[in-house]
Amino acid sequence: MIAKWVGIPMSILVVCTAGACYNLFAYFQQIGAPKGYSSTTMTAIKYTVLFGYYLGLLPGLINRALGDTIALFIAAFMAVVSFTALGFIVEADNMFAEISMLVFLFTGAMSGGIATIAAIVTPVKSFPKNAGILIIVILIGYYKIAPYFEFAIRSAFFEEPDLKWYFIGVGLIQALIFAVGAIVIKEVELDASIENMIKKYDVMGLLAYVLIEVIFFCAFYIVSLIYENWFVGGIMFIVVLVLNFLTVGASFYIVYSKAKSAGLKGLSLNKEKRKEIKFEEMLGTPKYLCLAFSSLCVIGITCTFSFNIFQIAFALGEIDSADNLLDAFWGADMFGRIGGGLCAYFLIDSINGYKWAIGAGACAAFGFGLALLTEPVGGVFLFMATLLIAFASGLFWVLVPSIVMEDAGETNFGLNWGFTLFLNVLGMLIFGEFFDFVYEWQAGNDSGKCSGGSCILIQFIFFGILGLVAAGLCFYALGEDEKGEKKDDKKDKKSKDRGRGKDKGGRDKKNGKSKSKDKNSKSKDKKSKSKNKSKSKKK
């Protein structure tokens, strides 16, 4: 049980450390500007890192084939090699360096993706009764803020670092933390009766981490994102990561003492698990495919909105509010992950997760519709649209992994969720390029700047339609899910009847005779006994 609880803060630390891999594209775009990289190279840098970081298919396959521990060791090796190579490439200036740069950017970004999936999948298996709250609120929340960890530390303590040695140092630190994570983060299997007994106490312990997370995120949002005091933000990050480890003691004491007083049993492998469905089977499941492609639509269009928020603000004459809009997007996204995620978790018995996904898709569509009213009505509509679009994005980020785990179990979760991550980044690529193409076409000049509502009209109409399409796909998936539940209920009733030893005809399965026959045989026995008695009396 100690290992079970230590795995949570260690997973958080691994996820936050892996965020440095996401920042690689920002680093190399800054480096590329003075080196004169072409726009094609700059775009290649961006999507190479995004695909490496979010390419959940390959990390999911590694996780399933080799296990979480080996996956983290592989991530550690890839991190130290790729970041060290990138440190030397920073000082090079030739075409070979550009080609090798993209190779090591992809490798470095993927090391973060492998570590993140391994760090999220493993503790989920240790909390089978409360995996939803662990995924929804805690780990996916830190997944969002992870890139700020490295940025806050760098801004706080390394204003102008020597990039060569800085990259080498970051790679070594990542490798060390990933390797320690491989040793510390373990799947813990308890007896099913113990899991049932301690599940409500587990929720209390997990909510302690949620409280720390919410306080930290609110403080970090105000101090770092709004007032841009990155020194304090970096210190806060370090403090909260240490505090998460200290919370292990309190959480473990509460759960263990309650379980012990209730009669703690010995450890065993008799673990109660969800229905396990492999990735290959999930690809043939309509509701999974609908959920995956609705995620492609919603995450693709909402992230495209956030990536291009300055161009959008400029086109609509709200450039002075662009920074505030970006901060508002971040805050609403986090509220969707934590607030919406908590509601979805605690109301899961009464509100199916697919219904939340339907609402999130409709929310995104409505947000893009409101944004179109900015030019004729006012900037407040762009602000409201930003909140709705960001909330839909955050809600989808936490709903999809939770639904996937509930539908297919923990064992194959890494690969099943990894496929949706891959589709997410594919959506960012497709809709991001579509937005840029239409924006530049409407601009009609070499500057790339476009002014007026027509600059974003086509994109936002299209994105709104895609939001409704995503809602429709989730509605279809809801119907398929409800059909599946009815079938499962029928199967459970049949199995219960069989468990009682009876089939449809009322026969006893052990001796294959019906009750009516048994009664007749008993009556015959009674008659024969009475006849024998009467004969004996006559004699």
Side-chain angles (χ1 to χ4, degrees):
M1 288 179 70
I2 292 175
K4 173 180 174 177
W5 283 96
V6 171
I8 296 175
M10 193 67 222
S11 295
I12 293 171
L13 178 59
V14 169
V15 169
C16 289
T17 305
C21 301
Y22 180 88
N23 292 338
L24 284 172
F25 84 85
Y27 260 124
F28 276 82
Q29 285 190 327
Q30 291 174 0
I31 295 166
K35 288 195 172 186
Y37 288 166
S38 65
S39 59
T40 304
T41 302
M42 299 288 262
T43 302
I45 290 171
K46 175 181 177 181
Y47 287 113
T48 296
V49 174
L50 286 178
F51 268 97
Y53 189 69
Y54 287 118
L55 186 61
L57 276 174
L58 188 55
L61 282 169
I62 292 171
N63 184 271
R64 186 177 74 171
L66 302 176
D68 310 322
T69 301
I70 301 298
L72 282 167
F73 277 123
I74 291 173
F77 176 75
M78 290 172 64
V80 71
V81 170
S82 58
F83 273 77
T84 300
L86 289 171
F88 285 96
I89 290 171
V90 165
E91 297 183 344
D93 190 15
N94 52 59
M95 182 54 67
F96 175 75
E98 286 191 30
I99 296 171
S100 58
M101 172 186 69
L102 294 176
V103 172
F104 285 110
L105 280 174
F106 183 79
T107 308
M110 184 171 285
S111 71
I114 294 172
T116 297
I117 287 185
I120 291 178
V121 168
T122 310
V124 161
K125 297 175 184 176
S126 301
F127 287 84
K129 301 295 181 182
N130 300 298
I133 194 171
L134 186 62
I135 295 174
I136 286 177
V137 182
I138 300 173
L139 295 175
I140 299 296
Y142 280 101
Y143 187 30
K144 164 69 176 177
I145 203 173
Y148 289 97
F149 178 42
E150 183 270 337
F151 180 79
I153 298 299
R154 171 164 46 95
S155 301
F157 303 105
F158 307 98
E159 288 188 13
E160 295 182 1
D162 182 298
L163 290 179
K164 175 184 174 181
W165 294 108
Y166 181 78
F167 276 122
I168 294 173
V170 169
L172 288 171
I173 292 171
Q174 280 187 314
L176 177 62
I177 292 175
F178 293 168
V180 172
I183 299 169
V184 173
I185 303 172
K186 298 290 184 183
E187 178 184 354
V188 178
E189 294 189 346
L190 301 178
D191 188 89
S193 59
I194 297 176
E195 294 286 3
N196 286 321
M197 182 171 55
I198 66 175
K199 63 181 179 181
K200 61 181 179 180
Y201 305 118
D202 277 350
V203 171
M204 293 169 59
L206 291 172
L207 287 177
Y209 284 97
V210 174
L211 180 62
I212 294 170
E213 180 186 35
V214 170
I215 294 172
F216 166 59
F217 285 179
C218 290
F220 186 81
Y221 178 73
I222 295 170
V223 173
S224 298
L225 295 182
I226 295 179
Y227 289 102
E228 297 186 353
N229 191 330
W230 294 105
F231 177 78
V232 175
I235 298 296
M236 287 168 55
F237 243 119
I238 295 171
V239 169
V240 80
L241 289 174
V242 173
L243 185 60
N244 279 330
F245 278 95
L246 296 178
T247 307
V248 171
S251 298
F252 170 75
Y253 177 77
I254 293 171
V255 177
Y256 183 79
S257 60
K258 293 292 183 181
K260 189 176 181 180
S261 63
L264 188 66
K265 296 182 179 180
L267 294 177
S268 77
L269 297 181
N270 182 25
K271 186 181 176 185
E272 204 174 76
K273 294 185 177 180
R274 294 174 176 81
K275 182 180 179 181
E276 298 291 348
I277 303 177
K278 291 184 178 181
F279 173 66
E280 293 80 3
E281 294 178 43
M282 287 293 281
L283 285 177
T285 307
K287 65 177 181 178
Y288 173 68
L289 294 176
C290 287
L291 181 68
F293 282 99
S294 63
S295 184
L296 178 148
C297 293
V298 173
I299 298 300
I301 61 177
T302 55
C303 287
T304 297
F305 180 88
S306 67
F307 291 159
N308 297 280
I309 206 160
F310 282 90
Q311 292 95 313
I312 294 166
F314 179 83
L316 296 174
E318 299 291 331
I319 190 61
D320 292 337
S321 304
D323 283 326
N324 294 333
L325 290 171
L326 193 59
D327 292 340
F329 188 97
W330 193 91
D333 186 310
M334 291 306 302
F335 179 74
R337 295 182 190 226
I338 298 176
L342 277 174
C343 290
Y345 173 76
F346 285 111
L347 298 176
I348 195 169
D349 292 331
S350 56
I351 302 178
N352 190 301
Y354 287 100
K355 292 181 180 179
W356 291 97
I358 294 168
C363 182
F366 186 63
F368 282 106
L370 273 183
L372 291 173
L373 298 175
T374 302
E375 192 175 45
V377 180
V380 66
F381 279 84
L382 183 58
F383 181 77
M384 293 169 60
T386 301
L387 295 180
L388 290 172
I389 293 168
F391 181 76
S393 178
L395 201 54
F396 240 86
W397 270 112
V398 296
L399 283 174
V400 172
S402 180
I403 293 172
V404 167
M405 187 199 62
E406 291 292 335
D407 285 348
E410 304 99 343
T411 302
N412 300 283
F413 170 68
L415 188 53
N416 290 331
W417 178 47
F419 178 64
T420 67
L421 283 178
F422 169 72
L423 291 182
N424 288 348
V425 73
L426 188 62
M428 296 177 201
L429 170 63
I430 295 171
F431 303 130
E433 289 300 300
F434 170 76
F435 181 93
D436 291 341
F437 174 77
V438 177
Y439 192 89
E440 291 171 5
W441 173 63
Q442 290 285 5
N445 55 58
D446 295 333
S447 66
K449 292 183 178 180
C450 185
S451 180
S454 61
C455 301
I456 48 88
L457 179 65
I458 296 174
Q459 299 98 309
F460 281 14
I461 291 174
F462 180 55
F463 290 170
I465 293 171
L466 285 174
L468 294 177
V469 169
L473 287 172
C474 291
F475 181 77
Y476 177 79
L478 172 65
E480 291 293 310
D481 187 63
E482 289 177 342
K483 287 180 186 177
E485 287 180 355
K486 289 179 182 178
K487 288 181 181 178
D488 291 338
D489 289 340
K490 288 181 180 179
K491 287 180 181 179
D492 290 339
K493 286 181 181 179
K494 288 180 181 179
S495 62
K496 284 180 181 178
D497 290 338
R498 289 172 183 170
R500 293 191 186 105
K502 300 170 187 175
D503 61 10
K504 291 181 180 179
R507 295 185 181 88
D508 190 315
K509 290 185 177 179
K510 289 183 179 179
N511 50 34
K513 296 177 181 179
S514 65
K515 285 185 174 181
S516 59
K517 288 183 178 179
D518 289 342
K519 287 181 179 179
N520 290 333
S521 62
K522 285 180 181 179
S523 63
K524 288 179 180 178
D525 290 340
K526 286 181 180 179
K527 287 180 180 179
S528 62
K529 285 180 181 179
S530 62
K531 286 181 180 179
N532 291 331
K533 284 182 180 179
S534 62
K535 287 179 180 178
S536 61
K537 282 180 181 180
K538 287 180 181 178
K539 288 179 180 179

